[in-house]
Each structure stands twice: as C-alpha cells, then as structure tokens.
Amino acid sequence: MQTIPDKNSPDQIRNDALFLGKIPSSPHIEESISVPLLEIRDLTIHFIVHRRVTGPNVVVHAADKVSLFVKRGETLGLVGESGSGKTTVGRGALRLIEPTSGEVFLNGQNILKVHTRKLRDMRRKMQMVFQDPADSLNPRFTCRQTLVDALSHACYGSQDILRKALDLLESVGLNPSDLDKYPHQFSGGQQQRIAIARALAFTPELLILDEPTASLDVSVKTQVTQLLRELQKKFNLSFILISHDLSNVKYMTNRVAVMYLGQIIEIGNTSDIFSKPMHPYTRVLIDSVPVPDPDQKRKRASLIGEIPSATEPPAGCRFHTRCPIRFEICDQKEPHLAKLANGHMVACHLVNSSSE
Amino acid sequence: MDQVYPLKRPSIWHVIKVFMRRYDFEIYLLRRNPVTLLGLGIIVLVTLIAIFAPILAPYDPLALTSADRLMGPSAVHWMGTDDYGRDILSRVIYATRLDMVIATSAVSMAMFIGVILGAVAGFFGGIIGEVIMRILDVIQAFPAFILAMALAVSLGSGKMTIIYVVAFIMVPIFARLMRSEILSARGRGYIEAAHCMGASEMEIIFKQLIPNCITPILVQFALSMSYAILDAAALSFIGLGIRPPEAEWGSMVNAGVGYITSGQLWLSVFPGLVMAIAILGFNLLADGMRDVLDPKLRS
Ligand SMILES: Nc1ncnc2c1ncn2[C@@H]1O[C@H](COP(=O)(O)OP(=O)(O)O)[C@@H](O)[C@H]1O
Ligand SMILES: [Mg+2]
C-alpha cells in the first residue's frame, strides 16, 4: 500500500514546481547545509562465487572499504578499468546488493539500517540509469506503461499521471506520439532518454549514471550528455557519473574518484586530478586519453601485464604488480588514503612518504 | 502543449492494437512456419468438436441397441458400432470432449502451481528455493507413469483422479522451466530499475518477471497437453481412469482390442486415430513455437 501524499504539502508543492521548472534551483540554500547528500563509509562488497565446505569460500572483492561523499548539485566521477567495482559501488549505494559491511548515508540517514518500507522511500530519492538502455526497459511495456508505472510509484494520483508523463517526455526531448511504442521500436539514444525520464519521475536528488553513454553511437553520446547537463541544472540534481570515457568525465564532473580492483586509490577535484595526478595508476589513465594537440602529448606510460584477479587481489598495494615505480614496501604494506590539499587524497606509499 | 491526442482516452481498438504489437515477434514466428498453423488448425477443430459435442453427435453415446451390434462403418453409423450397439462416432465425439477437459484442466493446474513455485524458487532462492526444488526432485525421481499409476490406484478411478494425478506429475516440469527463466530475467536492468522505484517483491514477480517469462511456459503448455492426453488415455486403457460405459479414447481402444483379431478393427482404430491426430496437433504447435525459445532468433 502506498500513502497518497497530501497535494498541498510543502514537499509536494516544491516537487511540482521543480518539476515544471517554475522555481530555479538555489545552490546557495543547498550549500549552507553541511551534511553531504550521500556519504559512503568503508563500503565493502564481497561476492561469494564458490562455497567450499572445507577452507574459505572463493570471494570476489568487488568493493573494499570504499569511502566517498557527494554534495548537493555536484557531479562525482567514478572511473577505473572495467571490473574495478564501479557498478558495484553504485548498486551498493542503492542497496540493490546487500553490502558485506560499511555505511551509506543519504541525507544523514543510514540506508543499510532501515527496514523495507523506509528503504523503498529512500531508494526513490536516488535513481540509477543503467549502461544498457535496452536491458533496463521492460520489453513488454510501452513507453506509456513504463512511465505510468514509475509515476504511480512516485505517488502521483491517476488524474495527474498522464500530464506528468507528457512533461517528462518533453523534458527528455521525446514526442507524445512515442508513448505507445515498445522499447524495440526506439533507437538506443531514445531508449536511454526513456530510462532517464523514468528516473526523473521521482524528482530524485541523486542520479547514479552507470556509463550512460557507453553503448551509444558517438553523435548520440554528446546529445545524451548535453541532456543530462540540462536536466542537472533544471532539477538541481547531483550525479555520480560512472564512466571510463575520461574526456567526458573531465567535462562533466566536479570531483573524480579513481578505482582500482575494488578500492579508491585517488580522489579529488577534477581539475587537480587532471592537472596533477598523483597516483601512478591515475597518471596512466590520464595519459591514455587522446590529446588533440600533438605538442601537448606527454610521454605515454603504459601498464605492464594484466589486471590481477579480484578473487585474489595482490597483497600490499593492489597496484604493485603493474606499477612502474614500485619499491620494497609496496608488496608488503597496504597504503591508506592520505590527505593532500583541497580534499585531494591518494593511496600510494611513494606519494605519502614524500609528502611527510 | 496543444496536441490533445495522448490525453484523449484511447479507443478500445487502439488499446488492442498496441497490446498485440507486444506479441509481434511471436505472431511472426507462427506465420513463418505453416506446419505450426496446421497444428493450430487441428487444435481449433478438436476444441470446437469438444465444445459442441452434444450438437455434433448423431446419437446418444450411451444408448444401447443390441440389434445394431458390431456393425461396420456405413452411411448410418460412419464409424460403425461397438459390441453393445453404441454409435462409435458419437462416442468418439463425447470422448474428445472428456479428454480435452481432462487434459486442459490437468495442464492448467500444473502450470498454475508450477509457475508460482518456480517463480518463488527462482526469485528468492536461498532456503525456500532449495526446499521447493528438492521436493520437486523427489517427485521427478520416480518414473512419471509408474507414479501416476500408484496414485490412481490409491485415489480410486474417476475424472478428477486423472486430472489430479496428471497435474501432479507435471508440476515439476513447469516449476523448473519457470525457475530457470526467472533466474535469467532476475538480473536484467529493468528488474533493478523496478527495485529502484521502490516496487515490492510481489509486484516485481507478478508485474515484471512473470509476463516476461511466460512465452516458454506457453510452449510447454502445448507440449504438455499432448502428454496429458496420452497419460489420461493410458490410465483409462489399463482400467485406472475413466470407467465404462463413459466414452474415453483410451478405454474405447481397450474395449475394442478383443475384436482386432476377428477383423472388427473400427472399434479401436477410430478412437485411436482421433487421439493421435489431436496429439499431433499439439506437438506441431509446440514444435513451431519452440523457435520462440531460441535465443539466437530472439535478438
Ligand atoms: N553478482 C556478482 N556476482 C559475482 N561477482 C560479481 C557480481 N557482480 C560483479 N561481480 C564482480 O565484481 C567485480 C566488479 O564488477 P563491477 O562492479 O561490475 O565492475 P565495473 O562496473 O567497474 O566494470 C568484477 O570482478 C565482477 O566480476
Ligand atoms: Mg560496470
């Protein structure tokens, strides 16, 4: 059973107004609130892939002690090779997977501690946009059914639903005549627009974008990126942008977290990360971005060897097997994230020892 | 926004048109394979015969006319008469009705229970899932027909017995199929999206998962219909199902067996033939529909 919200409650009025773009979002008010919108502390997610009767289970360390926060209205980039645990962190934040340990606070409330009913309410404030839009839309639902389903979960009354659905379609740049089409009748870009519209039905505060443009054509990519930026302004959204398109991350984000084998190895303001990357892995990642101007081309560092298996991550620093500048201590002791200036944090023995 | 079209209440035809488009792919597959259409044609015919049996049958299937005993096929009795002088055509028509009722009820019951058990086992997994699947394993560990015979003996003969017994031995097939479908659908993005929307688990199972997993179940339904007909007839043939004088394909074949050596073939051949055609129809349909299951064709 869902409670029907009071039409005149301040919350509902604000939502409606935001929805229709009537009131501009006001970053000043938001900034004065000190609690970050989302805070993740020591989030650890292990997948048991094989249970053993004798001896320890075989476990994938998909995320290990991941800590990060997202402020209102900002975009946090989450980058790293595929298999580094980016999606897992996103799903863990929504509690789509039950984390092994850790804490996730949305507006100061721990989502991992709440019970079913409250969990459902909290999830609606964060929405996820998935990598493969074709997979994220129910193939048996028309666009209308998808949106109506979402809007009824967002507690809109039946008289308002159709109007809202049309508003949503308009804000993601689709036509009312698309309402009765099935997902397979749309292009990838249009499917992703529907998925975004569905997420927006909840007037969420945070959108977790899991490689939203990875499966799209180049020209469509820019359109969807542009749409996301417009929507962010219009609805005052915060984003977690999971991506390995670094030029897009540089363009879209305020801060960036770099993941390697389930751990955050560097996090900081986007400008800092791109202008002075500290971790050898971050440097390699950033060097591998194609640079348009040949004069600027830096000496390309490349990684030695393959990414190690996440079932048996290397001891010590997880990156040491591929690190060009490793020294004795690296395969013994695990480096911890150490603070530099401006909230920039790096987990690397070399950087830490030189800054001490 | 000036455009009023989507705000108007859509006409019923529009709704049906949109709904049918959902099954474009399935309809396309049916059309592509003419043999499937033949199967569908047979099934429609058999169903019509079953529904209109009282109108179609020229005689009372139970009326005894000792003067007309064991008459061969003729213009008066198209399929001849049996050893009590009953009209075989009329009996075959009524048998069609009875067997279709038994098969449809049994398979529907098995499907209903199996789909729910399989969906729960697949969605929740864990201990509930394990328990359900192990119980089904036990049922399947027995040879199906031996189990059916044992159950029929203990429950006593009759129409309801056959329905329950056949349904019972078919539940595991549907449950297994449903479970594997659910397991593969469970990780799809739209299910995660539904979780993000705050949908409840029951809602996700009934609104998202089952509608997306139902096509292979329908194929299995057609396939199971032929087995159900065969099982019902076999149980009656060995005297565990429908008792004489009621007309049933299996018991009719049984009643005629004694006259085969003396050349009065029509007693067994006609009911057997009609039964074979009905089974063929369901098999052809299922076979054509099986394309639907092929993941290579799906994309
Ligand atoms: N449901 C799961 N069961 C077992 N292992 C998983 C599961 N989901 C992800 N993994 C593993 O966790 C690791 C991180 O995966 P993922 O978060 O998808 O990485 P990314 O999104 O960065 O590509 C990978 O090694 C992957 O194989
Ligand atoms: Mg991923």
Side-chain angles (χ1 to χ4, degrees), chain A residues 91 96 120 123-124 127 130 135-136 138-140 145 149-150 153 162 170 176 180 182 185 198 202, chain B residues 1 5-6 14 18 21-23 26 188-190 192-193 195-200 203 207-208 212 215:
Chain A
R91 293 170 72 213
L96 290 173
R120 289 188 195 142
R123 270 182 183 157
R124 296 188 185 120
Q127 289 293 309
F130 299 89
D135 189 61
S136 78
N138 186 334
R140 303 270 182 203
Q145 287 169 308
D149 193 37
H153 279 104
L162 203 49
E170 203 191 344
D180 286 326
Y182 285 95
Q185 296 173 292
R198 174 178 62 191
F202 297 87
Chain B
M1 199 167 299
Y5 143 73
H14 181 71
V18 169
R21 218 180 297 146
R22 175 187 295 197
Y23 296 101
E26 282 80 355
R188 299 283 301 275
Y190 60 87
E192 299 229 294
H195 280 292
C196 291
M197 298 195 302
S200 69
E203 221 185 311
K207 217 159 134 188
Q208 313 263 359
N212 274 293
T215 321

Side-chain angles (χ1 to χ4, degrees), chain B residues 232-243:
Chain B
L235 283 174
S236 304
F237 181 84
I238 58 174
L240 288 175
I242 302 298
R243 285 286 171 82

